[in-house]
Amino acid sequence: MSSTSSTGSASGCSCRAGDPLLANAARRGAISMTDGPPISDYGLLGDTRTAALVASDGGMDWLCVPRFDGDPLFGRLVGGPDAGTFRVGPAGPATVVERRYRQHTATLETTWAVGSGRLRLTEAMVAEVSGRLLPTTLIVRRLSAEQAAVEAVVEFDPRLGARHRRPRAQHRRQGLVCEWGALAVALDSTPTFRVEPGRPTSITVRPGRPVTLVLAVAHREPLIHVEPTAAWELVVEDEARWRAWTAEIDERLPFREHVVRSLLTLRLLTYSPSGAPVAAPTTSLPEDPGGGRNWDYRYVWPRDASIGVSAFLSVGKTDEARGFLAWLLHASRLQRPRLPALLTVHGRHVPAERELSGWPGYLDSLPVRMGNGAAGQHQLDGYGWVIDAAWAFAQAGHLLYAETWRAVRGFADVVADRWQEPDAGIWEVREPAQHVHSKLMGWLALDRALAIADTHHLPEDQRRRWQEARDAIAAEVRTRGFDPTVGSYVRSYGSQDLDAALLVLPLLGMDRSDSPRLRGTIDAIRERLSAGGPLLYRYPPGRDGLPGTEGAFLPCSFWLVQALARTGRRREAVELFQAMIDHASPLGLYPEEVDPTTGAHLGNYPQTLTHAALIQAALAIRDAPAGDGSRDGLHG
């Protein structure tokens, strides 16, 4: 992929060449200096409706509008220069000297050394827009200089959708307006200067005289201009709200700062109008650079969402849990009692998977996809995650609404009826199989549904049917899912392959925490699926029916932390967690996978599942040692 402009030319990279973050990545062999930034170089901006990724040179290379799964407005990340960007940063050679989020906020700061001066970019998206006449999406970017005047550049090049459509642009009194039918954006600035779409604009930033740019987005609604000074005050107000939100998180949590950043990331990736968390804000960031393992994650997997929302619940954020359960009730109504594998943020069917022509992909990884073909799969494990989340909500003292309990009962009935069928499993393989992890999660679904029934009405014949199915699953898994020669539960019946998803075993309560089978499974996975250091493959590489390879799957390492903590191995759990911190981006963000050799981030980013697993791992360390194998709660 061609690099983002750093000097105003389409291919220059002088700013990035001086960036130590990129230089270190190049030395590791993770990326060449002409390929553009590594995934880990990107920071996340979000407003709980959509999100942007911004590189360390100030290039906003990804933003979909009007929501996470909308059309890309800036798509250079996977679409190359023709897909558009919004770069605000140094005009010439510069070095990143500091890059951080303001403490416990979603505001990102990047500071460059430029000659004898310093240039700082402070940027955020405004999350709280209700009750005021504000655009749904409002991006605020402020440049300030210290020590000396600094030459900067603004490159505003919006290109909408799959065909990189240029806008119909006009300059108005307030600023630049770009239109594409039902979509319009306005770019305003203080002090005022003229910006032409697709052409770099040079400006001088002087100490004490910051330059503020405001981008407002309107879709099928009036375009609202927000004066830049007022927009900056909205950012300051948002920061106060984020700090108040994070202040409620237990001060005694181990690795608290990492947990707080992960919780903020999950909140930014939760679509606030519906309460549904997306798996990631991106599409087609590759698991195998140059290969075809490129998927669209801008949708809601009830499984992943349940894990994330239960992480919120575990730190006392009940509003997020309640919002998700309400969304799920609405979203699943048309397909109930079947639980869809994934849905849009509005609870609708995910668009059919399609490939975008003319998009070069990140690091030439093709195809670039929109939509996701996994939407029609049968994934038994999802029922377990969702019902366990509902159980955790009930355990926290919140009765389920009658309609929610009816939905949970329907899900449990599906498990009781269909648990013997093969399914695609948590890893969404193309050929269904008798996945042991899926069976275990089916057991969990019925066990937790029965636990909820202790405080909610359930007909006796339904209770008996669930109990019989739960016990039958346990008996079959113990007989067919465990291989004595391997000393471990295995990936599927009749196979000797291992599956890192089985690390959830200590969290279920089906076996005691001191069970030799359980401990043998943990040790076997840790040894045989090791990718070096704290990293794990999710299953033996190349055993999924798809061409190419993939990296280590980061949630699995955090599940291992949980498993160790729950089985009385707290010291090992802490050491593993500390080692995993090294695999975060410099801003504390995690992808789906990493390359075990180079440490390069792979897959869609940042990923909800990884951040949720991190939170749960920290909570498991807090609560270690694990109990006596009693029902502890998958999300506890």
Side-chain angles (χ1 to χ4, degrees):
M1 186 174 105
S2 300
S3 67
T4 301
S5 170
S6 58
T7 62
S9 67
S11 59
C13 58
S14 58
C15 171
R16 285 175 173 161
D19 185 341
L21 297 178
L22 297 185
N24 290 340
R27 282 195 291 273
R28 291 198 310 267
I31 193 167
S32 74
M33 296 306 294
T34 59
D35 282 326
I39 292 170
S40 60
D41 184 58
Y42 283 95
L44 174 75
L45 302 181
D47 61 7
T48 73
R49 293 171 292 278
T50 188
L53 294 188
V54 183
S56 65
D57 71 347
M60 185 177 289
D61 292 341
W62 186 255
L63 173 69
C64 292
V65 290
R67 57 185 181 272
F68 294 108
D69 59 354
D71 284 335
L73 184 68
F74 308 122
R76 184 173 292 195
L77 179 67
V78 292
D82 290 343
T85 188
F86 179 19
R87 182 171 175 265
V88 179
T95 300
V96 176
V97 293
E98 184 181 33
R99 198 159 189 238
R100 68 182 184 110
Y101 284 104
R102 289 191 179 184
Q103 188 175 31
H104 300 168
T105 77
T107 302
L108 179 62
E109 283 188 349
T110 305
T111 305
W112 300 273
V114 188
S116 60
R118 291 201 172 193
L119 182 68
R120 175 173 295 128
L121 173 62
T122 306
E123 54 189 335
M125 297 174 69
V126 177
E128 184 54 69
V129 297
S130 61
R132 290 176 285 187
L133 186 61
L134 293 172
T136 303
T137 297
L138 187 65
I139 300 171
V140 185
R141 314 186 80 185
R142 170 171 280 191
L143 284 172
S144 55
E146 298 175 359
Q147 302 171 11
V150 178
E151 296 303 311
V153 67
V154 175
E155 182 186 356
F156 183 67
D157 188 17
R159 307 283 193 92
L160 185 66
R163 297 183 179 179
H164 315 318
R165 292 162 53 204
R166 295 178 183 272
R168 181 165 62 89
Q170 56 181 306
H171 292 274
R172 299 180 182 174
R173 181 175 57 83
Q174 300 98 326
L176 173 68
V177 174
C178 297
E179 296 179 277
W180 301 261
L183 180 78
V185 301
L187 181 66
D188 302 331
S189 66
T190 297
T192 302
F193 58 92
R194 189 178 180 91
V195 173
E196 297 290 346
R199 297 180 185 176
T201 301
S202 297
I203 58 174
T204 301
V205 185
R206 304 183 188 281
R209 298 177 62 185
V211 175
T212 305
L213 296 107
V214 178
L215 180 66
V217 180
H219 182 253
R220 300 185 186 281
E221 60 189 4
L223 180 61
I224 302 169
H225 291 263
V226 181
E227 196 276 325
T229 302
W232 181 253
E233 289 302 315
L234 293 171
V235 170
V236 173
E237 292 174 14
D238 250 14
E239 288 182 342
R241 278 185 287 268
W242 285 124
R243 290 192 176 106
W245 188 82
T246 57
E248 299 170 349
I249 299 166
D250 187 356
E251 291 283 351
R252 299 165 296 173
L253 267 177
F255 304 103
R256 184 177 186 271
E257 289 305 305
H258 302 280
V259 171
V260 168
R261 181 49 54 193
S262 287
L263 284 165
L264 278 166
T265 302
L266 291 185
R267 187 66 189 89
L268 291 175
L269 296 179
T270 299
Y271 185 65
S272 56
S274 68
V278 295
T282 54
T283 180
S284 303
L285 289 178
E287 299 170 11
D288 179 20
R293 294 171 177 259
N294 320 311
W295 316 106
D296 191 351
Y297 276 16
R298 300 170 302 144
Y299 306 109
V300 185
W301 274 253
R303 170 208 305 117
D304 296 16
S306 297
I307 298 170
V309 171
S310 294
F312 282 130
L313 186 62
S314 297
V315 296
K317 298 295 183 184
T318 56
D319 287 347
E320 285 75 12
R322 185 179 290 107
F324 166 70
L325 290 174
W327 170 83
L328 186 65
L329 183 68
H330 166 78
S332 63
R333 71 194 188 286
L334 296 180
Q335 299 183 58
R336 203 181 300 159
R338 176 182 175 268
L339 178 67
L342 61 154
L343 292 156
T344 70
V345 292
H346 288 304
R348 301 192 180 105
H349 292 286
V350 170
E353 190 171 289
R354 63 191 176 102
E355 300 178 3
L356 303 185
S357 61
W359 287 58
Y362 181 82
L363 296 183
D364 300 320
S365 304
L366 294 174
V368 173
R369 293 183 170 96
M370 288 191 176
N372 197 299
Q377 290 183 344
H378 170 47
Q379 299 177 14
L380 183 68
D381 71 288
Y383 295 87
W385 296 106
V386 167
I387 296 178
D388 187 76
W391 172 79
F393 187 74
Q395 282 290 102
H398 308 286
L399 282 175
L400 301 181
Y401 293 126
E403 181 62 21
T404 305
W405 176 226
R406 278 195 292 272
V408 169
R409 285 168 53 186
F411 295 153
D413 283 339
V414 170
V415 173
D417 290 339
R418 300 189 62 183
W419 71 267
Q420 293 174 304
E421 299 176 17
D423 79 325
I426 186 172
W427 308 129
E428 300 181 344
V429 296
R430 299 300 176 90
E431 292 296 328
Q434 299 285 2
H435 293 105
V436 174
H437 173 261
S438 295
K439 307 299 184 189
L440 290 170
M441 299 307 290
W443 180 93
L444 180 75
L446 296 169
D447 183 74
R448 298 308 190 252
L450 287 163
I452 297 172
D454 290 342
T455 54
H456 295 68
H457 173 69
L458 182 70
E460 191 57 36
D461 61 337
Q462 198 170 21
R463 181 191 302 270
R464 185 165 51 252
R465 191 159 63 90
W466 291 357
Q467 288 172 333
E468 291 172 353
R470 179 194 61 180
D471 295 344
I473 294 173
E476 183 174 285
V477 167
R478 291 187 175 112
T479 302
R480 302 181 62 190
F482 185 85
D483 190 314
T485 63
V486 179
S488 171
Y489 286 99
V490 291
R491 185 178 177 188
S492 60
Y493 293 166
S495 168
Q496 290 191 331
D497 284 350
L498 298 183
D499 182 352
L502 295 171
L503 290 167
V504 301
L505 263 169
L507 318 178
L508 307 187
M510 193 182 84
D511 285 351
R512 295 178 60 89
S513 61
D514 60 354
S515 160
R517 285 187 167 203
L518 189 153
R519 290 176 177 263
T521 299
I522 295 171
D523 291 338
I525 289 171
R526 193 175 189 183
E527 177 184 352
R528 292 179 52 180
L529 293 183
S530 173
L535 301 176
L536 294 174
Y537 294 109
R538 47 184 171 173
Y539 42 70
R543 301 285 189 90
D544 58 8
L546 294 174
T549 60
E550 63 176 14
F553 199 78
L554 294 186
C556 297
S557 294
F558 288 116
W559 291 343
L560 177 57
V561 172
Q562 277 186 282
L564 293 171
R566 289 298 185 93
T567 53
R569 298 160 72 174
R570 188 180 190 277
R571 180 183 58 80
E572 294 175 66
V574 169
E575 290 174 353
L576 184 63
F577 195 110
Q578 289 172 329
M580 285 301 296
I581 290 172
D582 292 338
H583 291 283
S585 79
L587 293 170
L589 303 177
Y590 286 87
E592 179 181 22
E593 301 181 7
V594 299
D595 184 322
T597 303
T598 67
H601 284 193
L602 301 173
N604 286 300
Y605 167 92
Q607 200 202 36
T608 294
L609 181 58
T610 309
H611 284 278
L614 178 153
I615 296 163
Q616 292 182 319
L619 291 166
I621 290 172
R622 179 196 65 183
D623 299 336
D628 59 1
S630 60
R631 184 188 288 128
D632 292 320
L634 184 62
H635 300 296

